[in-house]
Amino acid sequence: MNDLPSIHVALVTGAARGLGRAISERLAREGHPVVLADLDPEVENTARTLRESGAQARAVCLDIADEAAVATLPQRLGDWWQRLAILVNNAGISPKHEGRKREVADMSLQEWRRVIDVNLTGAFLVTRQCIPALKAHGWGRVVMITSQAARTRTPVPGAHYQASKSGLTGLARVLAAELAPFGVTVNCVAPGRVESEMTRAVGGEVNAQLAAVIPAGRLGRPEEVAAAVAYFVARDAGYCTGAVLDVNGGNFMA
């Protein structure tokens, strides 16, 4: 049974690019068949690239904020559904307008709802759908990709993003308690400023200013976040649940 995690399928949301792609690549290197889910059709190319490297990978084009769409996951994964034991809730959005967030006084309800729907409700819907499969194995791993913004005030993301990531941390703690009796752990990885399309949306000058105050003196790399996820999904991490692992170059020290 020592190879138990390697024969189980991992589902990663927001997997077309950035952190989700790096996480998918790392889990594939660890031997996991990976399902890459994303609303962006680019997810098909990302999965194809993984297969060309010798990995087992499938793509699912999916809006995780759509309850009916999420309910189709068992059918769309087919024979892989019963082998699902790892879930990484990574999908998230952080709207910018001319490189800047909207303050609460100027934020539309439509924008607020979309961010909450994707970042928080989407994770709830996908996790809820996967819980029976995770419980069935008596072994499972759920990892929430939250944010430094869930741990402390940060200047770049808007209130909706920070609220959604804080909510995701709370959801993870409740799930950790509910799923522990079934051998399923639930943990959070909280990245700080990491190189991605999301961070590039504010421009190089802003990112340079932010990097200057990070003790590590630079932005993080997606691969460094993926390494933290790899720890939480490992068999040896079975006694770690309800935890938050900060990956931020020392920019936030709890």
Side-chain angles (χ1 to χ4, degrees):
M1 296 293 287
N2 289 335
D3 63 345
L4 180 63
S6 296
I7 63 172
H8 283 72
V9 169
L11 170 61
V12 182
T13 67
R17 309 172 188 271
L19 292 184
R21 177 171 184 153
I23 292 166
S24 299
E25 290 171 345
R26 176 61 185 259
L27 295 182
R29 287 201 305 274
E30 298 280 331
H32 300 289
V34 182
V35 178
L36 296 83
D38 205 302
L39 186 59
D40 186 345
E42 178 63 21
V43 71
E44 298 283 356
N45 293 327
T46 304
R48 184 179 305 111
T49 299
L50 276 176
R51 289 194 297 272
E52 289 170 351
S53 71
Q56 297 182 67
R58 297 182 183 178
V60 174
C61 197
L62 178 74
D63 181 356
I64 62 168
D66 183 335
E67 182 178 14
V70 171
T72 68
L73 275 171
Q75 292 74 36
R76 297 178 72 177
L77 268 61
D79 60 324
W80 278 25
W81 180 252
Q82 297 303 321
R83 298 168 58 197
L84 179 69
I86 297 168
L87 169 62
V88 182
N89 284 304
N90 166 74
I93 57 174
S94 182
K96 299 293 185 295
H97 304 274
E98 297 181 352
R100 298 175 63 87
K101 68 179 181 181
R102 286 200 196 281
E103 295 189 353
V104 172
D106 301 316
M107 186 179 294
S108 70
L109 179 58
Q110 180 181 18
E111 181 175 307
W112 169 272
R113 282 177 169 164
R114 182 57 182 167
V115 174
I116 298 298
D117 283 350
V118 173
N119 296 8
L120 181 55
T121 305
F124 159 75
L125 290 172
V126 175
T127 305
R128 187 183 65 177
Q129 186 68 42
C130 294
I131 283 174
L134 300 175
K135 285 182 175 180
H137 299 300
W139 185 98
R141 301 287 186 260
V142 179
V143 181
M144 308 291 194
I145 305 301
T146 61
S147 172
Q148 183 179 326
R151 307 279 277 157
T152 185
R153 181 248 175 207
T154 53
V156 175
H160 41 25
Y161 182 86
Q162 300 206 41
S164 68
K165 294 298 185 177
S166 296
L168 198 57
T169 304
L171 174 62
R173 288 172 175 153
V174 172
L175 284 167
E178 291 181 355
L179 298 180
F182 302 93
V184 179
T185 66
V186 185
N187 293 289
C188 297
V189 173
R193 204 77 187 150
V194 175
E195 296 171 358
S196 68
E197 288 189 3
M198 185 180 291
T199 56
R200 286 191 288 272
V202 302
E205 183 178 346
V206 171
N207 282 319
Q209 292 171 353
L210 294 169
V213 300
I214 297 172
R218 63 175 176 85
L219 302 188
R221 297 186 296 273
E223 295 77 13
E224 293 171 312
V225 178
V229 173
Y231 164 69
F232 276 137
V233 305
R235 184 174 179 82
D236 291 343
Y239 198 55
C240 189
T241 196
V244 178
L245 178 54
D246 295 301
V247 184
N248 55 45
N251 200 36
F252 172 72
M253 301 186 190

